[in-house]
Amino acid sequence: MRTIKIFSSIIILSLLIASKPIIKNEIPISEETQQCLSCHTSIHPGIVSSWENSLHRKITPLKAKEKSKLERKVSFENLEPELGNVVVGCYECHSLNTDKHQEAFEHNGFKINVIVTPNDCAKCHPVETEQYSKNIMAFAHTNLVDNPVYTQLMKAVNNPHKFEKNKIIIGEGNKLTDYELCLYCHGSKIEVKGFKTRETDLGEMSFPILEGWPNQGVGRVNPDGSRGSCSACHTRHTFSIEVARKPYTCAECHKGPDVPAFKVYEVSKHGNIFSSDKHKYNFSDVPWKIGKDFEVPTCATCHISLVVNSDGEVIAERTHQMNDRLAWRLFGVPYSHPHPVNADLSKVKNKQGLPLIVELTGEPVSELVISKDEQQIRNSRMKKLCNQCHSSSWVDNHFVRLENTIKETNNITKEATKILSEFWQRGYAKGLPQNENIFDEEIERMWTSVWLYYSNSTRFASAMSGGGDYGVFAEGRYQLTETLYKMVDKLNQKKNVKK
Amino acid sequence: MRTIKIFSSIIILSLLIASKPIIKNEIPISEETQQCLSCHTSIHPGIVSSWENSLHRKITPLKAKEKSKLERKVSFENLEPELGNVVVGCYECHSLNTDKHQEAFEHNGFKINVIVTPNDCAKCHPVETEQYSKNIMAFAHTNLVDNPVYTQLMKAVNNPHKFEKNKIIIGEGNKLTDYELCLYCHGSKIEVKGFKTRETDLGEMSFPILEGWPNQGVGRVNPDGSRGSCSACHTRHTFSIEVARKPYTCAECHKGPDVPAFKVYEVSKHGNIFSSDKHKYNFSDVPWKIGKDFEVPTCATCHISLVVNSDGEVIAERTHQMNDRLAWRLFGVPYSHPHPVNADLSKVKNKQGLPLIVELTGEPVSELVISKDEQQIRNSRMKKLCNQCHSSSWVDNHFVRLENTIKETNNITKEATKILSEFWQRGYAKGLPQNENIFDEEIERMWTSVWLYYSNSTRFASAMSGGGDYGVFAEGRYQLTETLYKMVDKLNQKKNVKK
Amino acid sequence: MRTIKIFSSIIILSLLIASKPIIKNEIPISEETQQCLSCHTSIHPGIVSSWENSLHRKITPLKAKEKSKLERKVSFENLEPELGNVVVGCYECHSLNTDKHQEAFEHNGFKINVIVTPNDCAKCHPVETEQYSKNIMAFAHTNLVDNPVYTQLMKAVNNPHKFEKNKIIIGEGNKLTDYELCLYCHGSKIEVKGFKTRETDLGEMSFPILEGWPNQGVGRVNPDGSRGSCSACHTRHTFSIEVARKPYTCAECHKGPDVPAFKVYEVSKHGNIFSSDKHKYNFSDVPWKIGKDFEVPTCATCHISLVVNSDGEVIAERTHQMNDRLAWRLFGVPYSHPHPVNADLSKVKNKQGLPLIVELTGEPVSELVISKDEQQIRNSRMKKLCNQCHSSSWVDNHFVRLENTIKETNNITKEATKILSEFWQRGYAKGLPQNENIFDEEIERMWTSVWLYYSNSTRFASAMSGGGDYGVFAEGRYQLTETLYKMVDKLNQKKNVKK
C-alpha cells in the first residue's frame, strides 16, 4: 500500500516538475526537495515531521540574512539565488559539494550525500564552521586515535582481554566496539566501502556501504575530509536552538565520571534554578537576553551563545570555538593546564618525548599552551557574563578558588605519579618505556582514576560552583585521597611479599 | 470534627441509597462508590482527588468500548451492565472476585479487597493482563526467591552479617529487610495473617493484617494467587497513561547500576531531545502518532505502546509482553543470551545442573531460549519503529553493533569466570559445589560485578545508543577491564603468600 | 557608555530624592531602593530582573500582613511604617542592623551590608528564623569545624597530601580548598579582612574584603554573628517559593552518595509522579492544598510546608525546624540514632570521651537524644501527612520497615567497627588514641564508607520508599556487604604476611 502511495506521489510530482517552485504558505520549497518529500514523508515520517517543525522549513536563507545583525543566525556573505530563495530542505543540504563526498550516490536522478558535514553547513553558516574547526572537539577523533598514549588507553579499555597463564593478554580490537564506546562521543572515521544494491519499497536501489556509520561524534572524520558533526548538538532534523541551549545536549558526552560537567551543573545553584524555572524561560530568541529570556545560565550561555543585557548591549559574542572564554583546560591528561594553543593535540611532545602537553611532573610544555595574558583575556570574557548577576568580589573570588583547586589537584596527581613510578622502578609493575601499555595493571588504573575521575570531578565542582557532593563524596576529594592510601597500601604489601 | 462530618455524610448517603445511580455531569457513579467517597473524601483526600483526575472517573467502560479500535483502551468482550454503565470507581475495582481474595473483609456492609490485582483489572483489560502474564516481570518474585542461585545472592546482600573468628557469618534473614530491598522491585508475596479490629474516626473497624504490604513490585504474588501489580507502572489512583509513557516510571526499577536503562536513555540522543522538548509532546493520545504526538521515543514507545505513523498506519501493536520486540535478554545471569522461551525461570537447569539458562562457559541452554528465527521476528518488529526516523543502513548497523557488544561482553565474563575458577580450584576461595554461597567473598563479588554491573552497563549503552559515559567510564568497559586486572593481581598475591 | 548612563540616572534621581516614595503600579518603592536601582539596573541586570519577578517586589510587608492567617508568609508582630509600606527592595534588606554587620560600608551616601543574614530576614520573618536556628543545619559549619572527629575527616579529605618515605603525609590545609568542598554546603565563616578602594564604572569606591565569600551554605557564620543563609534554599533575588518547594533545591546538598536523598526520591513512586506531572501542579499557593495543588509530595511537603487538605484543614504546620517531623537522624556518625535534643553537636561526648552522640558500639548517648515519646510525637506529625493518601496499615508498615532498616544497618556498622578495631589492636593500622587521624588509611576508609555511604544509602532508600537501586545495587546493601568481605580479606592478608 505504501509502495502504491509513493508511486502515485511520484506521478503527481512529475506533473509539477516542469513548473516553478511551489509556494506553500508563501515560503517556497525547491522542486527537488518536494520530490524528496513525496516519498520520504511516507518512508521516514519522523524525519519529515521534525524538519517541518524546524526553522529551516520556515524561512529562506536570504530572508534570514535580512534580519538585524544581532538577530541573524546565518553568516554567509553571498548565496546563489536558487539556494537562497527556497527553504532549507532535504535537497538543499544533502546535495552540496557532492564532488567532495566519497559517499555521494545516484538516487532517483539526483546526486545525494548521506552525510551533511560542517563543510556543507558552511554554505550558510561559514563563521560558525570556521570557529568550530579551532575547537579541541573538532579534533576529538584525531586527538584520540592518533595519539599513542590515548590509543593505549583505548586498547586497554575496548579490546578483547584473555586470561592466560596467570595474566591478561590484550587482543586485537574491533572497530564495532570502538564505535560504541570512545568514538561514540569522539566521532568515528566514516569510510566508503563500496556501494550495494538492495530491494526497497520503490524497487531496486543502490546505496553506499559506510564504515563507521551511524555516528554523530563531535570530531567525526567525514567522507568529504571535514571534521565534526553539527548534529552532535544541533540534532537533526529540527536543528532546534532550544535543544542546543539546554544542558541535556552537552550531557550526552559530558556527564561523567570523567567529565561530570552536567552532574555538577545539576546540583549547582544555577542548575537548581534551571530545573525549577526552565518552563518560564525563552530558549529560542536570538540574541539571548539576560533577565528577560532567562535568569540562570546553561552551558551554552557561558560557552557559546550571543548574550545581551536588558539594554541590548552585547555581553558575550556568539562563538563556536568553545575555549574562547576558557583560560584552563580542566580535563588534563594527566594534569590540568592552560588551554592549548592548537586544537590538534595528536602530535604534541613533552621533554620526555611522550605525546603529552604536560610533563609527568605537572609543568605544561610552555610553547604549546596559551600565555598568562591570553588566559586573562579569556577569563575576562567569561567574567563579563558572571558580573551581570554577581558582584566583582564574588566573581573574582570564584576564579581565585578555581585556580587553587587546579593547583591542589595537580599536586595530588603528582604524588600519585611518584607512587606509580616507584612501582615501575621496583619492578612491581611494567614501567615506561619497556611497557607497551601503561593502563593495563591495577596500580596503573588507580593512578588513572586519580586524574581522570577524582581530580576532574573536583575541578568541575569548583569551576561550576557545584562543590557539594561532586567536590567531595561523589568521586571527588574523598576518593582522590582514598586512592592515594590504597596505592601506598599496595606498595607496602608488594614490599612485604617480595622481600 | 472530621468524625462528625463523616457521620453526617453517611446519613445523607443513607437517604440517597434507595435511589438510582446519581448522574454527575451525566457520567454515572455507582451507589456503592458514592458511599465509599462519602467518607474517604475526607479520610484520604489525596486518593480521591487522584481518582477524580483519572480517566476511570470520566468515562464508563461501555462508553469506552464504543471507541474506534485504535483509540480503544479496554479489551473486554462483554461486561455486565451494572459494571459497564458506571464509572470505574472505588467499589468497581475493590469489590471484584472477593471469593478469591484472602484479604477480603467486611467494611461498612460491603465486602472489600485491599489489593486490586491484575486478575481484577482483567475484567476490562483482559488482553493486557494475559500479555503481561507472559512477561519475565510477572515472574520477578518467583524467579528470584525460588531460584537457588539468586536466593544465595539475596542472602549475601540482605541478611545480617556477623564478624566472628576472622570470618563473616551470614545469619538468618528477615522479611522486613527483603521487602525494602530486592522485593521492592521484584514484588513481595502478600499473605493474610489474620484480621484485627482497631479504633478509627468512624468507630471500631476490622481490617486484614497483611504480610508483605505495602508493595507494588512487578512480580508481586497477590492474595488471590495472581502475579504482578498493574500499579507498578499505572500509578494509583490516576492510572495516568502520561505517567506510564514517561521514562520516569521505568526508572523506578531500571536506573542502575545493574540495569542502567534510564541513565543510558538520559544521555542518549533520544533522551536529550525528550528532556528538552517533552513539554511540546502529547503523552495521552491513543493511538500514539509519530511526528505528531512525539518526535523521540520513550521506553514505552519501543517496548509497549500502540504506535501509528502520520498516515494512521500501525507501526507497532500495543503489547504488555515487553519482550515481544526483544531478541536478546541483555541482563543475563551471568551471560546475555537470546530471550527465554518461558517467563518462569525458577526451575531452569543447565548441563552442570545449576539453575541457570546458560552454561558457566557462556552458551545458552538451547531449548530454553528462543530460536534465531524468532529473534529475527522480534528484531524486525523493533526495527519497523526505528525505520520511521532512521535509514535502513543506520538501523541495521545499530543492531550489528549491539550483537557485537553482547558477544564481547560475554567473552569478558567468560575470562572473569576462568579466574574465579582458579581461585576455587586452588582453594583461595570456597568453590562450587562445596560452597553454599558463591557471592560472599571478595573475589566472588568482583566476578559478580563484571557481569551484573559493567557488562550490563556496556550492553545497555550499546542497545540504546547512549554509549558515551555508560559504555566506557561510568561503570562500563573501563571498570570491566579494571576488574579483570584486580582479579589477576589478587590471584598473584594469593600465590605469593601461599607458597 | 554605561558610565554615562549611570551618571545621568544619578542626576535624575537627585531631582527626585526630595519627593515622597514613587508609586509604580501603586506599589511604592522607597527612595533609597530607587537610587540603588538607578545604577544596578545597568550594572547587575540579572539581579534586578530576578527581584522584579519576586513577591518582594509585588507587595509591601504591611499588605502581606493583612492576608488571612493561612495565606500569610510574614510572621512579624509590628513593623515600622517606613519599612512596612514600601516593597522589599535592595535598601530594605541590605541596610538592616548595620551596626552589627562588620562588613557594613559607606556606599554612595548609604550604609550598606553586603550580606543579608537570617537576623535581617527576621525583621519580617521572625518565626521562621527562630525555627531555623533550632535546626542541625543552622549549626552545619560549627558542628563540622568545631568537632575534633569531623575535622580529622576534613583534613584527610581536603588537605594537601605528600608521598614521602613510603607513606602519606597530610599537610596544612588551606581555606580556599575548604570553601570549595565541605564548606560549600556546611557554610563558611565570613570574616572582614579590611576594606579596599577600587576603580569602578562610577569612579573610585571602597568595598569590604571578605574572607569566605561567596558562600550560601546552610550553616554559614555571618559577619553579624548569626548562623545560616536563607538564600541556600530561597535563592536570590526571586526568593521563589516554587524553587524552594521543588526538590532540586534540596538536591544541591542532598544528592549523595553520603546523603542520597534526591537520588532516592527521583526513583521513588513519589519522585516518578513528580517528574511526570509537575507541570500540572501549583507550587506557589499558600497554604499548599493536597489534591488540588499537588498529588505527590516533594521534600518541602513532608519536612517544611504548611499543608492543608481539600476541606482547608491544616494537616501540617509550616516549620523551618526540619526535624519537627523526624524521629531519627538517619545520617548518623557513625550510627543512625534518635534525633539529637540540641542542634549544636560540636561539644557532645560519648562514654569513651569521643565527640560523638553514639558509642562506637552503636548505643546513643541517651541524654543527648530525644526520648521514645518525642520520637512518637514527631512520627505522628509525619504520618498525618502520609495518611492523606495512604491507609493506616500502609503507613504503619512503612515505619516498621524503616526502623528495621536502621537497626540492621547499625548492626553492620558495628561489625565493620569490630574488624577495624582488630586492625588497630594488631597494629595493622594506627589506632585510637595514638592515631591523630582515623580517616587516613585504606582500612579506615573502608570502614567510613560502610556507614557514610552504604548504610546511609540503604536507610534513605527505606525512609523514602525508593528501595530499588539505592537500597541494593547503587551503593546500598550490595556494597555494604561487599565492603565487609573486603575488610576481612585484607585482615587475613595482613595476618598471612606479618606472621
Side-chain angles (χ1 to χ4, degrees), chain B residues 333-374:
Chain B
V333 182
Y335 296 94
S336 181
H337 52 75
H339 231 278
V341 174
N342 290 310
D344 183 350
L345 300 173
S346 60
K347 302 287 175 292
V348 297
K349 271 212 161 36
N350 69 10
K351 284 183 199 155
Q352 244 190 306
L354 290 169
L356 296 172
I357 206 163
V358 291
E359 307 302 331
L360 276 186
T361 43
E363 305 78 20
V365 181
S366 59
E367 64 272 22
L368 299 178
V369 300
I370 61 173
S371 67
K372 278 205 184 314
D373 285 353
E374 177 63 20

Side-chain angles (χ1 to χ4, degrees), chain A residues 196-445:
Chain A
K196 77 166 168 199
T197 299
R198 66 175 169 78
E199 197 56 41
T200 74
D201 283 348
L202 292 167
E204 232 176 38
M205 284 188 178
S206 179
F207 298 95
I209 302 165
L210 297 176
E211 176 68 38
W213 182 250
N215 182 275
Q216 303 145 87
V218 293
R220 195 178 65 198
V221 179
N222 299 305
D224 67 348
S226 67
R227 291 164 194 283
S229 163
C230 301
S231 63
C233 307
H234 299 280
T235 54
R236 304 162 314 141
H237 280 91
T238 49
F239 311 99
S240 154
I241 197 170
E242 174 166 1
V243 173
R245 280 173 169 178
K246 285 187 173 170
Y248 313 111
T249 289
C250 309
E252 283 187 46
C253 292
H254 296 264
K255 181 120 187 208
D258 51 327
V259 271
F262 180 74
K263 285 188 178 179
V264 168
Y265 176 76
E266 263 190 317
V267 297
S268 72
K269 187 63 83 184
H270 288 159
N272 163 22
I273 301 176
F274 167 80
S275 294
S276 299
D277 276 348
K278 63 186 173 187
H279 58 289
K280 301 175 188 166
Y281 294 178
N282 180 328
F283 288 96
S284 300
D285 272 14
V286 171
W288 217 7
K289 290 166 290 297
I290 288 182
K292 187 172 175 303
D293 292 333
F294 63 91
E295 192 191 344
V296 291
T298 65
C299 316
T301 321
C302 296
H303 297 295
I304 304 168
S305 298
L306 168 63
V307 177
V308 300
N309 68 11
S310 41
D311 296 329
E313 277 182 80
V314 173
I315 300 304
E317 299 281 356
R318 179 187 296 128
T319 180
H320 279 67
Q321 182 181 346
M322 279 75 153
N323 53 56
D324 250 8
R325 306 174 200 162
L326 291 177
W328 297 92
R329 189 178 180 222
L330 289 188
F331 183 104
V333 182
Y335 295 94
S336 181
H337 53 74
H339 231 278
V341 175
N342 290 309
D344 183 351
L345 300 173
S346 61
K347 303 287 175 290
V348 297
K349 271 210 161 37
N350 69 11
K351 284 184 198 154
Q352 242 191 309
L354 289 169
L356 296 173
I357 206 162
V358 291
E359 306 303 331
L360 278 186
T361 42
E363 304 77 22
V365 182
S366 60
E367 64 272 22
L368 299 179
V369 299
I370 61 173
S371 66
K372 276 207 185 312
D373 284 352
E374 176 63 21
Q375 284 193 296
Q376 209 153 20
I377 290 167
R378 296 191 184 189
N379 261 348
S380 57
R381 284 196 200 108
M382 183 68 93
K383 284 181 177 181
K384 194 168 176 187
L385 274 158
C386 309
N387 278 321
Q388 302 304 307
C389 299
H390 299 285
S391 72
S392 295
S393 70
W394 180 298
V395 175
D396 290 343
N397 285 348
H398 169 76
F399 281 90
V400 167
R401 290 179 187 174
L402 172 59
E403 299 210 0
N404 171 69
T405 302
I406 290 171
K407 201 187 85 198
E408 293 286 342
T409 50
N410 276 350
N411 281 344
I412 296 265
T413 298
K414 199 162 130 188
E415 300 306 310
T417 308
K418 273 196 220 165
I419 306 175
L420 177 62
S421 299
E422 191 152 338
F423 268 83
W424 284 344
Q425 281 159 23
R426 288 172 176 271
Y428 299 162
K430 285 165 293 152
L432 281 171
Q434 75 273 30
N435 185 6
E436 73 286 4
N437 199 315
I438 59 167
F439 301 102
D440 66 349
E441 297 186 72
E442 185 182 8
I443 190 70
E444 291 169 341
R445 283 293 178 89

Side-chain angles (χ1 to χ4, degrees), chain B residues 298-426:
Chain B
T298 66
C299 316
T301 322
C302 296
H303 297 295
I304 304 168
S305 298
L306 167 63
V307 177
V308 301
N309 68 12
S310 41
D311 295 329
E313 277 181 81
V314 174
I315 301 305
E317 300 280 357
R318 179 186 299 128
T319 181
H320 279 67
Q321 182 181 347
M322 279 74 153
N323 54 56
D324 249 8
R325 306 173 199 161
L326 291 177
W328 297 93
R329 188 177 180 222
L330 289 188
F331 183 104
V333 182
Y335 296 94
S336 181
H337 52 75
H339 231 278
V341 174
N342 290 310
D344 183 350
L345 300 173
S346 60
K347 302 287 175 292
V348 297
K349 271 212 161 36
N350 69 10
K351 284 183 199 155
Q352 244 190 306
L354 290 169
L356 296 172
I357 206 163
V358 291
E359 307 302 331
L360 276 186
T361 43
E363 305 78 20
V365 181
S366 59
E367 64 272 22
L368 299 178
V369 300
I370 61 173
S371 67
K372 278 205 184 314
D373 285 353
E374 177 63 20
Q375 283 194 296
Q376 210 153 21
I377 290 167
R378 296 191 183 189
N379 260 348
S380 56
R381 282 195 201 111
M382 183 67 95
K383 285 181 176 181
K384 195 169 175 187
L385 274 158
C386 310
N387 277 320
Q388 303 303 307
C389 299
H390 299 285
S391 72
S392 295
S393 69
W394 180 298
V395 176
D396 289 344
N397 286 348
H398 168 76
F399 282 90
V400 167
R401 289 180 188 174
L402 172 58
E403 299 210 359
N404 171 69
T405 302
I406 290 170
K407 203 186 85 199
E408 293 286 343
T409 49
N410 275 350
N411 282 344
I412 296 263
T413 298
K414 199 164 131 187
E415 300 305 311
T417 308
K418 274 196 222 166
I419 305 174
L420 177 62
S421 299
E422 193 152 335
F423 268 83
W424 285 343
Q425 281 159 24
R426 287 172 177 270

Side-chain angles (χ1 to χ4, degrees), chain A residues 9-22 29-38 108 110:
Chain A
S9 301
I10 290 177
I11 292 164
I12 293 167
L13 243 291
S14 307
L15 299 172
L16 296 167
I17 235 74
S19 65
K20 296 301 296 172
I22 292 170
I29 299 177
S30 73
E31 291 160 12
E32 295 88 345
T33 288
Q34 290 194 57
Q35 193 157 346
C36 305
L37 291 170
S38 70
N108 291 321
F110 298 112

Side-chain angles (χ1 to χ4, degrees), chain B residues 5 49-50 157-159 161 163 166 174 177 180 184 213-214 232 236 246 252 256 258 445 453 493, chain C residues 269 272 276 291 295 311 394 397 401 404 408 415 462 465 469 473 477-479 481-482 485 493 495:
Chain B
K5 194 173 340 164
S49 75
S50 292
V157 169
N158 297 358
N159 284 22
H161 283 59
F163 172 65
N166 297 329
N174 87 54
T177 306
E180 291 292 76
Y184 178 86
W213 182 250
R236 302 163 315 142
K246 285 189 173 169
E252 282 187 47
D258 53 325
R445 283 293 179 90
Y453 287 177
Q493 169 200 313
Chain C
K269 187 64 83 185
N272 163 22
S276 298
E295 192 191 343
D311 296 329
W394 180 299
N397 286 347
R401 289 180 188 174
N404 171 68
E408 293 286 342
E415 300 306 309
S462 189
S465 294
D469 285 319
F473 291 127
R477 288 281 310 205
Y478 182 90
Q479 285 76 14
T481 49
E482 184 176 68
Y485 305 151
Q493 169 200 311
K495 283 185 188 169

Side-chain angles (χ1 to χ4, degrees), chain C residues 225-242:
Chain C
S226 66
R227 293 166 192 281
S229 162
C230 301
S231 62
C233 307
H234 298 280
T235 54
R236 304 163 313 142
H237 280 93
T238 49
F239 311 99
S240 155
I241 197 169
E242 173 165 2

Side-chain angles (χ1 to χ4, degrees), chain B residues 155-310:
Chain B
K155 281 181 188 168
V157 169
N158 297 358
N159 284 22
H161 283 59
K162 283 271 182 194
F163 172 65
E164 276 172 19
K165 295 175 189 156
N166 297 329
K167 57 179 187 175
I168 297 291
I169 311 292
I170 300 182
E172 280 302 301
N174 87 54
K175 286 185 174 180
L176 293 175
T177 306
D178 293 345
Y179 297 147
E180 291 292 76
L181 302 176
C182 306
L183 303 184
Y184 178 86
C185 285
H186 281 256
S188 61
K189 181 171 185 178
I190 296 184
E191 293 172 296
V192 183
K193 296 293 185 189
F195 292 81
K196 75 166 170 200
T197 300
R198 64 175 170 80
E199 198 55 41
T200 74
D201 284 346
L202 292 168
E204 234 177 38
M205 285 191 178
S206 179
F207 298 95
I209 303 165
L210 296 177
E211 175 69 39
W213 182 250
N215 182 275
Q216 304 145 87
V218 293
R220 195 179 65 199
V221 179
N222 299 305
D224 66 348
S226 67
R227 290 165 194 282
S229 162
C230 300
S231 63
C233 307
H234 299 280
T235 54
R236 302 163 315 142
H237 282 93
T238 49
F239 311 99
S240 154
I241 197 169
E242 173 165 2
V243 173
R245 279 174 170 177
K246 285 189 173 169
Y248 313 112
T249 289
C250 309
E252 282 187 47
C253 292
H254 295 265
K255 181 118 188 209
D258 53 325
V259 272
F262 179 73
K263 285 189 178 178
V264 168
Y265 176 76
E266 263 190 318
V267 297
S268 72
K269 187 64 83 185
H270 289 159
N272 162 22
I273 302 176
F274 166 79
S275 294
S276 298
D277 276 347
K278 61 186 174 189
H279 57 290
K280 301 175 187 165
Y281 294 178
N282 180 328
F283 287 96
S284 299
D285 272 13
V286 171
W288 217 8
K289 290 166 290 297
I290 288 183
K292 188 174 173 303
D293 291 332
F294 64 90
E295 192 191 344
V296 290
T298 66
C299 316
T301 322
C302 296
H303 297 295
I304 304 168
S305 298
L306 167 63
V307 177
V308 301
N309 68 12
S310 41

